[in-house]
Structures are given as structure tokens and as C-alpha cells.
Amino acid sequence: MAPRQFIFRAGEGEQQRSPDGAQAAYEAFQAYADEHADAESIRIEDEATGEALVLLLTRGAVARTRAVAGSAEPHTEYCAVARRNLYGRFVMRFLEDGYAGVDHSGLWLRELADLDASPEEQGERRAAAVSTEREALDEVLRMWSDSGYVDPTDQYYVFFDTHTLEMSRAERAELLALVERLGLERADPPAGAASGEVWVRKDERLEAELEQWS
């Protein structure tokens, strides 16, 4: 497989082609970003795949795009970036693994304006954007694999292990909406469980795929 090659663009400024290899491309990007420190946005394009990552520097956000078969418009999602020094994590993961490489870098939403909503509203909007049962199951399993386990009685999936209600607010709201949509059965956490944990009775649709997400 040929090494990935990227193009950097800062607004209407001069574009730059990256060297081969993720680490070399990252170092070249850092130098390019330093040269365009006043830019409102910097775009990184993967020529081979058509995927792109856009650093919305004055907005405190990033956007990622990819082509959609049969559509002239790319699929675009947005994610908030809490601090400017965190942009580098998105960049390195994108350079290494493209659009999918930043899947777990934060909560991705379909509209830039959604980033201004409360965490609970963000989670509900992300759940509403899930269009199929397959996607809903995958999203539930992803959240379980990030912070969950099967309880010792082997009856429940536990999500957000040891989390308080103030932690993972957006993802917790998304999970609750998807659990209801999928018709999964919630259970009351046992005494002593952390306040943000979500307990769900085991379900054969999830059980069939649990090992690959463990």
C-alpha cells in the first residue's frame, strides 16, 4: 500500500503537500500550523480517500468529512475541542488512520450549532442522528467497550463503570435514548454503585457480538 499523502490548507493561503509517513507528516503539519498561527481554520486532506480534517481554530472545534457514495455532498461531523493544545491529538490520529482514527476523540455531532447545546441535548441529538438499528447497536457496544463490564451475576451490562452523574453526560444521555429505542431493559443499579452507572439487562442482540468489542 502506498503511503498516505496529505495536503495542508490554511484558509485561502498557500497549500503544502506533506511528506510520506504519519510522523513526518505530523512534524510538517506542526511547522505549517506555526506559520499560519493566525488562520481561522486549517484543513488536512487525504488525497487518496478524499477524507479531510478541518481545525476550526477560532471556534474551538474540529470537523471531519468523508465522501458518501451516490451523493455530491460529503458527510460532515463536528467535535468540540476544549483547549487549543488538544488539536494535535486529532491531527495525529487522522494522519495515522484517517476519518475513523478520530472516532473516539470526542462526541461527534452533525451540526456545528449542536456544540452549543447542553451535554444532555448533544447526546440526545447524536442518538437521533443514528438511522438504523445496526448503527444503534454498534454505538451502544462502543460505549460499553469504552467503560463497561458484565456484572458478576452475568445478568447485566454495566455502562460508565464508577462514573458519577457529572461525568460522560453527553454519552450517558445518548445511551439512554438508544437503550429506549432498541427496547433494551434498564435495571436499577445495586446499592453502592456509582451514580452515573447505567445497568442494562443482557440481550441476545448484544450478546452475539460482545466478544469482538471486549
Side-chain angles (χ1 to χ4, degrees):
M1 178 183 295
R4 306 176 92 147
Q5 194 164 62
F6 303 89
I7 292 177
F8 309 142
R9 306 178 190 271
E12 300 300 321
E14 181 180 354
Q15 70 182 46
Q16 178 176 312
R17 189 177 298 274
S18 76
D20 293 342
Q23 184 60 43
Y26 182 70
E27 292 171 1
F29 173 81
Q30 286 182 308
Y32 183 84
D34 287 343
E35 292 174 9
H36 298 83
D38 295 330
E40 292 187 1
S41 65
I42 299 179
R43 181 180 180 90
I44 305 171
E45 298 176 3
D46 183 334
E47 285 192 294
T49 65
E51 297 174 348
L53 182 76
V54 185
L55 312 187
L56 303 171
L57 300 171
T58 59
R59 182 60 174 78
V62 294
R64 62 175 180 173
T65 68
R66 59 177 171 78
V68 178
S71 174
E73 294 296 323
H75 177 85
T76 303
E77 293 184 331
Y78 302 89
C79 183
V81 180
R83 299 187 305 278
R84 195 178 180 98
N85 64 353
L86 296 180
Y87 281 107
R89 298 182 185 180
F90 287 88
V91 172
M92 191 65 206
R93 290 169 182 169
F94 180 79
L95 295 175
E96 290 176 337
D97 295 309
Y99 184 98
V102 293
D103 276 349
H104 304 319
S105 296
L107 188 70
W108 292 93
L109 300 167
R110 297 291 177 87
E111 302 292 337
L112 183 59
D114 288 342
L115 299 183
D116 296 324
S118 70
E120 288 74 17
E121 289 174 321
Q122 290 180 8
E124 291 167 2
R125 292 177 190 182
R126 181 172 170 85
V130 174
S131 58
T132 67
E133 180 176 300
R134 175 69 269 162
E135 290 177 355
L137 288 169
D138 284 346
E139 186 67 359
V140 168
L141 285 163
R142 178 192 68 76
M143 285 189 275
W144 178 84
S145 69
D146 285 346
S147 61
Y149 67 97
V150 176
D151 88 297
T153 70
D154 200 32
Q155 298 180 70
Y156 305 101
Y157 306 118
V158 181
F159 295 80
F160 307 119
D161 177 32
T162 74
H163 288 205
T164 67
L165 283 173
E166 289 304 308
M167 299 168 64
S168 307
R169 290 167 56 193
E171 285 207 321
R172 190 174 188 276
E174 179 190 5
L175 173 67
L176 295 179
L178 292 176
V179 163
E180 180 177 358
R181 177 172 166 183
L182 290 168
L184 300 174
E185 182 184 347
R186 285 186 62 192
D188 292 331
S195 59
E197 290 183 357
V198 176
W199 288 54
V200 176
R201 188 172 296 278
K202 293 183 73 172
D203 179 275
E204 61 181 15
R205 289 171 294 173
L206 298 178
E207 193 65 16
E209 303 180 49
L210 205 61
E211 285 190 9
Q212 72 182 49
W213 289 89
S214 298

